[in-house]
Amino acid sequence: MATGHDDHHHGPAKGITRWLYTTNHKDIGSMYLWFSFAMFLLGGTFALVIRAELFQPGLQFVDPNFFNQMTTMHGLVMVFGAVMPAFVGLANWMIPLMIGAPDMALPRMNNWSFWILPFAFALLASTLFMEAGAPNFGWTFYAPLSTTYAPSTVTFFIFAIHIMGASSIMGAINIIATIQNLRAPGMTYMKMPLFVWTWLITAYLLIAVMPVLAGVVTMMLFDIHFGTSFFNAAGGGDPVLFQHVFWFFGHPEVYIMILPAFGVISEIVPTFSRKKLFGYDSMVYATSSIAFLSFIVWAHHMFTTGMPLAGELFFMYATMLIAVPTGVKVFNWVTTMFKGSITFETPMLFAIAFVVLFTCGGFTGLMLSIAPADFQYHDTYFVVAHFHYVLVPGAVFSIMAAVYYWLPKWTGNMYDENLGRLHFWLSFIGINILFFPQHFLGLAGMPRRIPDYALQFADFNMISSIGAFIFGFSQLLFLFIVIKTVKGGKKATAEVWEGSHGLEWTVPSPAPYHTFSTPPVVK
Amino acid sequence: MANVTKEAAHSGYDQPYYVPEQSKCPVWASFGLALFVFGMGNLLNDLKADSSTTFSTLLTLAGFGVLATTLFNWFSAQIRENHMGLPGPQLKRSYVLSMYWFIFSEVMFFAAFFGALFYVRQWVIPWLGGEGDKGVSNMLWPNFEASWPVISNPDSSVFSNPGESMAWPGFGGALSYLPLWNTIILLTSSFTVHIAHTALKNNKRQQLILWLGLTVLLGIVFLFLQIEEYAHAYSELGLTLNSGIYGSTFFLLTGFHGFHVTLGTFMLAVMWFRALKGHFKPEDHFGFEAASWYWHFVDVVWVCLFLFVYIF
């Protein structure tokens, strides 16, 4: 219904300038996704250096300072380079298709948001080759480690954060403007696909907290270079102030990485259950509640900083409240599957794994939210296991699910189902071998961010490292599958999946270079 | 979409929507921005290490040059395309929405600094002075006494004590209190830009140029007085970036505000030149509106600064 006007358009430009100068949301979406995958491999390589070092107790491969650079860069690259850009890439590709828009609201700014990223990460990664070494203070860059005691490359780190923040803000403004302004006639807010809804709220979170991140790195910059004392008690400042401002950004940030994942899962589960999503309205309200709560729970990352008791209690109870809307979501996904005629294609496998394993990560989060218990868990491998369970089988699995789900729409070809399932099972098994033992390590007292450890932790660390290498190398299979699908394969229909529904499945596969130049009417 | 006609682009939903042509600007702007911050990083590190700053200064300037040139070309292209009538009403709504959200992001940027100020005043200083839940921190510097503004730092061998603060001198000294004059100037400028806007909507160009020009002048006067105040603080009060948390919060908040006033004044000045060239129509002047919203925003930030940094 929307493709009759293609004679108005010319196709993509030829050569490299197509990508450099593009204003096309599909091109930009693809660039975001490829960039994100490159960063995923880079950050994964850093992770494998960490796990190789931790394979056995003692110092084997790297010195402790380089180990710290690896943990720092792994976190930064994965959070800002892999997960966030992947979701922005999905948003670029899918939001216009899902709401019946011809493109993003501000196509040139869209291209600017993307092209800042390769430069920002080149700047960040270049610190690895500088004399002072890369940042080594952890991805949370707590002062005074990141100020008084930081290597001189912290300056480049600060500016890299500044410009990738600018990129995120522009990207988020673009997404909000697109959703507010470019929905097809008849598509009211409560008819929007959930992926669009979750992105609307995510974009709002981004605009609200990325400037706060810019603010906190700016204060660092001034403390380092201009003699201020924001994070230095000798001048009347406070290192804990750093943590407050950082986590005011940082906690919404973790929802920025998971809300679009919720959206993806809410698209995939109904398709392969061949049922409508159970509880659409409650999904919208739950997402909004999670976004609201994300602003008032930040200090649960700081229970051991010596906050006043009232603060400990407030942040403990507020954090526990998050389990309620999250529970609503998990309930709705499970209920959508209930009595559905389910098939287990690769996207659905990843989605089900998401529901199960993300819930595990959620439960450990609940354990960590209990302030007195957190005194024990704080800064141990239990925390590492917790946030990797929500980020890897959570956010990353949802991205993989989304890629398998929409790849036929993007390329016009079906991926190889057997290889897809193999990739899933290798990832699923690898991830659990990798992260499950870390719970036990943490509960037994192994601290995070150390290159060496006491002998009693040896066995679980070895198991964990084996899992890491299984998971890491399985991702090369993913790369292979994607390239194979781009090159060819069984032709996909417009609907692609038997149970699919929504505007994106009304355009042909592959989606033409320009879609919906005349908006469809949504009933 | 070169073949989209003006009529088609304007008629809304039933016709092809206008998607802008490819542009070289975004990728060049990214390159310029990256070069600029790379140069800045080197420059700051060179300054700290006392090594030669020639190369890093050149890098910074080159980056800034590329960025500024690109943005100039980018905005020119937008204006040119707008004069050709290419963007339809829907794209213009997108401009408006994105300006709103951009200003919201700026609000949050200042919120981080105000939050830091409130946290320090409400908790950090009392605790260091021995009051409240965490008053035990007083054992670090037992002689430190909590007060705001902090005139005597916990360790004044590391952070020099400011001689005086910028606090409100009482009604007796109000007339010679520079921040009060700056408040009056900036509040007035919000009115003058509003009058200019009304004149534009009524298609009275002479008035538009007059009142907009006056607004730009007020912005420049504000900045001049701000520089005067900083010079006074540095040379006579001994209040510097290095004088502990009071100086840190004072200069960061007023400094970033001053930077935003500079940007706002620049934007309004561009609009003034555009008005001289005959740009803007009574029903179509988004560039002007965006600059004036931004101006009202920096005005509101100043009122908060005046209350919480200077007065209370």
Side-chain angles (χ1 to χ4, degrees):
Chain A
M1 64 194 193
T3 52
H5 293 272
D6 275 343
D7 50 346
H8 281 291
H9 308 296
H10 41 75
K14 298 280 178 284
I16 185 79
T17 57
R18 165 182 177 181
W19 304 100
L20 290 175
Y21 305 154
T22 186
T23 48
N24 182 288
H25 72 103
K26 300 182 183 83
D27 283 351
I28 296 173
S30 301
M31 288 196 294
Y32 264 112
L33 288 166
W34 279 113
F35 173 77
S36 141
F37 192 74
M39 289 298 113
F40 183 59
L41 293 186
L42 180 68
T45 309
F46 297 155
L48 291 186
V49 173
I50 295 169
R51 283 319 318 174
E53 179 56 52
L54 294 174
F55 187 71
Q56 284 188 318
L59 293 175
Q60 274 80 232
F61 304 109
V62 295
D63 69 77
N65 184 34
F66 188 73
F67 184 89
N68 286 342
Q69 296 175 27
M70 287 293 105
T71 57
T72 307
M73 295 293 275
H74 165 70
L76 291 169
V77 167
M78 285 304 197
V79 169
F80 295 104
V83 174
M84 288 170 67
F87 281 126
V88 182
L90 292 172
N92 256 293
W93 250 104
M94 299 319 299
I95 288 176
L97 286 180
M98 287 175 139
I99 64 174
D103 207 293
M104 296 294 281
L106 301 157
R108 286 179 187 155
M109 192 171 82
N110 198 16
N111 199 29
W112 197 17
S113 326
F114 170 74
W115 275 107
I116 287 176
L117 287 180
F119 288 107
F121 280 89
L123 182 59
L124 184 63
S126 70
T127 59
L128 275 166
F129 305 101
M130 292 180 189
E131 207 184 315
N136 57 4
F137 30 67
W139 87 273
T140 51
F141 51 101
Y142 280 9
L145 282 178
S146 61
T147 52
T148 317
Y149 305 105
S152 61
T153 48
V154 65
T155 317
F156 297 107
F157 157 82
I158 289 171
F159 284 125
I161 294 282
H162 268 138
I163 65 175
M164 65 183 78
S167 152
S168 288
I169 291 169
M170 286 193 284
I173 287 176
N174 213 341
I175 287 168
I176 286 205
T178 307
I179 298 172
Q180 283 187 308
N181 194 26
L182 266 63
R183 278 171 291 124
M187 179 165 287
T188 57
Y189 278 105
M190 292 311 272
K191 280 186 189 166
M192 290 194 312
L194 260 171
F195 180 69
V196 181
W197 249 116
T198 51
W199 243 117
L200 178 66
I201 293 167
T202 304
Y204 167 74
L205 290 180
L206 275 167
I207 301 176
V209 302
M210 291 313 281
V212 177
L213 176 68
V216 76
V217 293
T218 303
M219 287 189 258
M220 274 169 61
L221 185 76
F222 274 69
D223 269 15
I224 295 167
H225 289 288
F226 302 111
T228 55
S229 58
F230 289 104
F231 309 133
N232 191 336
D238 188 349
V240 177
L241 169 63
F242 172 89
Q243 297 185 30
H244 278 294
V245 187
F246 174 80
W247 284 115
F248 185 84
F249 147 78
H251 202 76
E253 167 69 17
V254 304
Y255 293 123
I256 287 165
M257 292 190 283
I258 204 65
L259 292 185
F262 291 167
V264 168
I265 301 305
S266 305
E267 300 297 328
I268 292 175
V269 168
T271 297
F272 295 97
S273 306
R274 290 160 183 79
K275 276 177 68 188
K276 264 179 67 180
L277 180 72
F278 182 86
Y280 173 93
D281 292 12
S282 64
M283 282 298 211
V284 172
Y285 301 135
T287 313
S288 315
S289 317
I290 292 173
F292 168 74
L293 288 170
S294 75
F295 286 107
I296 55 165
V297 296
W298 75 88
H300 67 214
H301 298 267
M302 305 163 52
F303 281 145
T304 59
T305 54
M307 266 189 293
L309 183 62
E312 304 264 347
L313 291 174
F314 172 79
F315 287 108
M316 173 167 91
Y317 290 127
T319 304
M320 289 175 172
L321 276 182
I322 299 174
V324 178
T326 313
V328 168
K329 287 181 158 294
V330 174
F331 178 85
N332 285 349
W333 290 322
V334 173
T335 315
T336 305
M337 287 186 261
F338 184 65
K339 288 189 170 173
S341 42
I342 307 179
T343 48
F344 298 94
E345 286 88 343
T346 312
M348 186 61 166
L349 290 173
F350 274 107
I352 293 173
F354 173 97
V355 175
V356 175
L357 298 180
F358 176 80
T359 305
C360 291
F363 278 131
T364 51
L366 209 49
M367 289 171 72
L368 287 161
S369 75
I370 304 165
D374 180 75
F375 288 179
Q376 169 71 17
Y377 308 145
H378 188 88
D379 258 353
T380 67
Y381 258 85
F382 190 76
V383 178
V384 176
H386 156 68
F387 69 74
H388 280 92
Y389 257 84
V390 288
L391 277 174
V392 186
V396 173
F397 270 25
S398 84
I399 294 164
M400 289 170 178
V403 169
Y404 283 111
Y405 185 54
W406 284 310
L407 198 57
K409 179 55 65 190
W410 301 336
T411 62
N413 304 319
M414 296 302 288
Y415 60 88
D416 186 325
E417 189 62 58
N418 286 327
L419 285 181
R421 286 181 196 184
L422 178 66
H423 171 229
F424 167 75
W425 284 109
L426 284 172
S427 299
F428 180 82
I429 293 166
I431 208 81
N432 282 296
I433 299 175
L434 164 55
F435 293 121
F436 208 76
Q438 296 185 357
H439 291 111
F440 307 131
L441 287 171
L443 291 177
M446 178 168 162
R448 64 192 285 207
R449 292 170 174 159
I450 51 162
D452 188 10
Y453 47 82
L455 286 179
Q456 72 266 29
F457 303 129
D459 292 351
F460 279 135
N461 267 300
M462 191 176 281
I463 295 170
S464 179
S465 290
I466 291 169
F469 280 86
I470 297 175
F471 178 73
F473 283 97
S474 310
Q475 303 322 311
L476 297 176
L477 177 60
F478 183 43
L479 179 64
F480 173 75
I481 295 169
V482 171
I483 293 175
K484 188 165 175 274
T485 314
V486 171
K487 296 244 180 235
K490 205 175 107 230
K491 292 289 158 232
T493 60
E495 296 79 22
V496 182
W497 309 108
E498 190 186 61
S500 63
H501 52 94
L503 287 176
E504 79 261 42
W505 310 107
T506 64
V507 302
S509 305
Y513 196 57
H514 292 287
T515 35
F516 296 125
S517 38
T518 306
V521 176
V522 179
K523 284 185 276 299
Chain B
M1 281 187 53
N3 51 355
V4 175
T5 61
K6 190 175 169 179
E7 290 73 27
H10 268 300
S11 51
Y13 275 131
D14 304 326
Q15 292 295 326
Y17 175 82
Y18 168 68
V19 176
E21 285 277 4
Q22 282 203 334
S23 166
K24 295 178 183 177
C25 293
V27 73
W28 275 103
S30 309
F31 171 68
L33 185 63
L35 192 60
F36 176 56
V37 295
F38 181 64
M40 277 283 260
N42 276 305
L43 181 59
L44 290 174
N45 282 352
D46 286 347
L47 285 171
K48 204 172 184 192
D50 267 333
S51 48
S52 161
T53 56
T54 322
F55 180 64
S56 49
T57 310
L58 281 176
L59 273 183
T60 312
L61 289 175
F64 184 78
V66 173
L67 181 62
T69 314
T70 310
L71 289 180
F72 182 83
N73 285 331
W74 195 337
F75 279 105
S76 316
Q78 294 302 115
I79 293 166
R80 200 165 50 241
E81 286 170 14
N82 193 44
H83 285 176
M84 287 160 70
L86 291 179
Q90 201 171 15
L91 184 55
K92 288 178 181 169
R93 267 200 305 282
S94 293
Y95 288 162
V96 171
L97 288 169
S98 47
M99 192 65 199
Y100 288 162
W101 287 107
F102 171 65
I103 289 178
F104 174 61
S105 79
E106 291 273 40
V107 169
M108 293 307 293
F109 182 69
F110 277 98
F113 296 148
F114 274 108
L117 175 71
F118 295 146
Y119 182 77
V120 165
R121 290 182 59 169
Q122 185 69 31
W123 284 293
V124 177
I125 296 299
W127 287 345
L128 280 172
E131 300 159 24
D133 273 333
K134 300 292 158 187
V136 67
S137 352
N138 187 239
M139 70 184 178
L140 288 169
W141 293 281
N143 296 325
F144 177 71
E145 280 179 33
S147 69
W148 189 268
V150 180
I151 290 301
S152 178
N153 286 319
D155 187 345
S156 48
S157 65
V158 186
F159 295 98
S160 62
N161 290 334
E164 269 177 78
S165 77
M166 288 287 174
W168 173 244
F171 286 99
L175 282 181
S176 58
Y177 189 51
L178 205 142
L180 181 67
W181 287 105
N182 260 348
T183 309
I184 294 167
I185 289 167
L186 220 47
L187 284 178
T188 313
S189 75
S190 244
F191 282 104
T192 54
V193 81
H194 181 71
I195 296 171
H197 193 188
T198 314
L200 173 53
K201 280 198 266 194
N202 295 329
N203 208 13
K204 294 181 176 150
R205 301 204 72 86
Q206 285 308 318
Q207 283 192 30
L208 163 67
I209 290 166
L210 177 72
W211 289 101
L212 185 54
L214 188 62
T215 313
V216 174
L217 272 182
L218 286 169
I220 293 170
V221 173
F222 174 91
L223 286 169
F224 177 75
L225 289 180
Q226 183 94 352
I227 292 167
E228 191 74 356
E229 185 189 30
Y230 278 14
H232 177 65
Y234 261 78
S235 59
E236 284 158 55
L237 303 185
L239 177 63
T240 68
L241 278 168
N242 199 29
S243 47
I245 194 66
Y246 178 73
S248 305
T249 52
F250 173 79
F251 283 110
L252 200 75
L253 277 158
T254 57
F256 268 98
H257 176 262
F259 174 65
H260 282 75
V261 174
T262 313
L263 270 181
T265 309
F266 178 74
M267 281 154 77
L268 288 175
V270 171
M271 297 308 148
W272 189 71
F273 283 111
R274 288 186 63 192
L276 280 185
K277 284 184 79 176
H279 291 195
F280 306 129
K281 294 184 202 118
E283 71 290 341
D284 185 18
H285 47 265
F286 171 73
F288 176 90
E289 273 181 328
S292 75
W293 294 333
Y294 195 77
W295 193 251
H296 291 306
F297 154 71
V298 294
D299 198 10
V300 172
V301 173
W302 175 262
V303 173
C304 297
L305 278 178
F306 186 61
L307 291 176
F308 298 115
V309 174
Y310 288 98
I311 302 287
F312 296 112

